[in-house]
Amino acid sequence: MGFATLQLTAFDCPRPLRLAEFYAEVLGGRIDGGEDDDWVELHLEDGQRLAFQRADDLTPPEWPRADRNSQQLHLDLTVQDMDAAHAKVLELGARELDVDDDAHADFRAFADPAGHPFCLCRA
């Protein structure tokens, strides 16, 4: 058993409120913070928190890499309807990274509006 608990996951991004709104549409929850804030939090219904910290000169990671500009981390999000979730994240401002169903039947990779990679995973 560990000695610590995860408090939150924080993302650097140029527009904290915009990225919090993206993830609120995807995951639900309540946003704490505004357009001019350097730190915005998304409180999820299960008690987890995501935080978004202003980093004006962020260089988004490249997918997939393991060298000078690696992804460093990404979120895996479970969905019931892959096609509907795929369309919705694109509508919200995500972009496709690796969505070839023939190669990866169980997941599709995207970048959020700030360029952080995340995957939609079949339930």
Side-chain angles (χ1 to χ4, degrees), residues 23-102:
Y23 281 106
E25 287 290 327
V26 173
L27 299 170
R30 177 185 52 81
I31 294 173
D32 182 15
E35 187 67 41
D36 294 328
D37 292 337
D38 289 336
W39 181 271
V40 175
E41 289 188 12
L42 175 61
H43 299 262
L44 303 177
E45 293 178 15
D46 65 2
Q48 295 183 66
R49 292 185 300 156
L50 298 179
F52 307 92
Q53 175 175 265
R54 188 176 311 280
D56 291 326
D57 295 326
L58 174 75
T59 300
E62 297 174 38
W63 177 273
R65 293 197 70 122
D67 57 4
R68 65 176 174 79
N69 193 24
S70 69
Q71 62 173 315
Q72 299 179 6
L73 71 90
H74 71 271
L75 299 176
D76 283 349
L77 308 175
T78 302
V79 298
Q80 298 299 318
D81 183 333
M82 180 66 81
D83 291 332
H86 184 142
K88 184 65 175 177
V89 297
L90 294 179
E91 176 186 317
L92 294 170
R95 67 182 168 82
E96 297 175 336
L97 294 176
D98 186 357
V99 297
D100 181 7
D101 260 345
D102 292 334

